[in-house]
Amino acid sequence: MKNSMNLEFLSVSQNESFARVTVAAFVSQLDPTMEELTEIKTVVSEAVTNAIIHGYHELPDGKIYISCTINDGEMELMIQDHGEGIADIDEAREPLFTSKPELERSGMGFTIMENFMDKVDVISSPEEGTTVRLIKHLTTNKAYCN
């Protein structure tokens, strides 16, 4: 059975934990393992933090959009901003690359997403924003109640 949800919130760092917990609560209806739930929360945190810091340069008036669809044990997560965008996606996906070295960022966001998810797509255009599409096949395939 298929189910989906959408979130929209301002690009302030306090909303990162809101996004992480909300997506985890939604995905919990599939009864994922604790490891899977931790991985999902981590990738949400990475993607939202990237949107806030790199997409919107920590300006609080940008909007971040999350859609999450679950279907037969698969989770598809889309995290989108309309911020700066990424000029070179391949470079941005390189381990340790960061566009903000002065902030002592680790540059591991995309690497973490790739390690925890089954599929990661990044679509971005300069001055138009970025969409990160994440897919994970959960080990459990239980139908949810309701």
Side-chain angles (χ1 to χ4, degrees):
M1 191 163 193
K2 186 175 180 178
N3 196 5
S4 64
M5 66 120 190
N6 294 298
L7 293 174
E8 175 183 321
F9 51 90
L10 290 176
S11 58
V12 294
S13 61
Q14 295 87 341
N15 286 337
E16 176 269 327
S17 61
F18 164 73
R20 184 178 65 234
V21 170
T22 303
V23 171
F26 180 74
V27 172
S28 290
Q29 62 193 288
L30 290 179
D31 196 24
T33 66
M34 286 303 295
E35 181 179 351
E36 289 170 330
L37 209 49
T38 299
E39 291 171 350
I40 291 165
K41 290 185 338 188
T42 300
V43 299
V44 169
S45 179
E46 293 292 337
V48 169
T49 298
N50 279 353
I52 293 168
I53 291 174
H54 301 288
Y56 291 119
H57 302 285
E58 299 185 70
L59 297 173
D61 57 347
K63 291 213 176 147
I64 298 172
Y65 306 89
I66 296 180
S67 67
C68 185
T69 301
I70 53 177
N71 191 17
D72 292 329
E74 179 182 276
M75 176 206 70
E76 179 180 7
L77 184 61
M78 305 247 315
I79 301 172
Q80 179 181 40
D81 68 66
H82 296 293
E84 179 176 302
I86 302 169
D88 186 339
I89 294 171
D90 291 333
E91 180 182 44
R93 290 178 82 153
E94 287 292 318
L96 303 178
F97 175 81
T98 180
S99 64
K100 302 241 184 222
E102 69 279 6
L103 297 180
E104 299 180 18
R105 311 285 316 163
S106 70
M108 295 298 290
F110 285 125
T111 301
I112 290 167
M113 290 180 224
E114 289 167 351
N115 283 322
F116 287 167
M117 297 290 109
D118 295 316
K119 185 171 184 179
V120 177
D121 294 319
V122 181
I123 302 121
S124 189
S125 297
E127 306 308 318
E128 292 182 22
T130 301
T131 299
V132 178
R133 180 175 172 252
L134 306 155
I135 294 177
K136 184 163 188 73
H137 303 281
L138 302 172
T139 56
T140 58
N141 193 5
K142 297 179 182 176
Y144 54 88
C145 299
N146 254 0

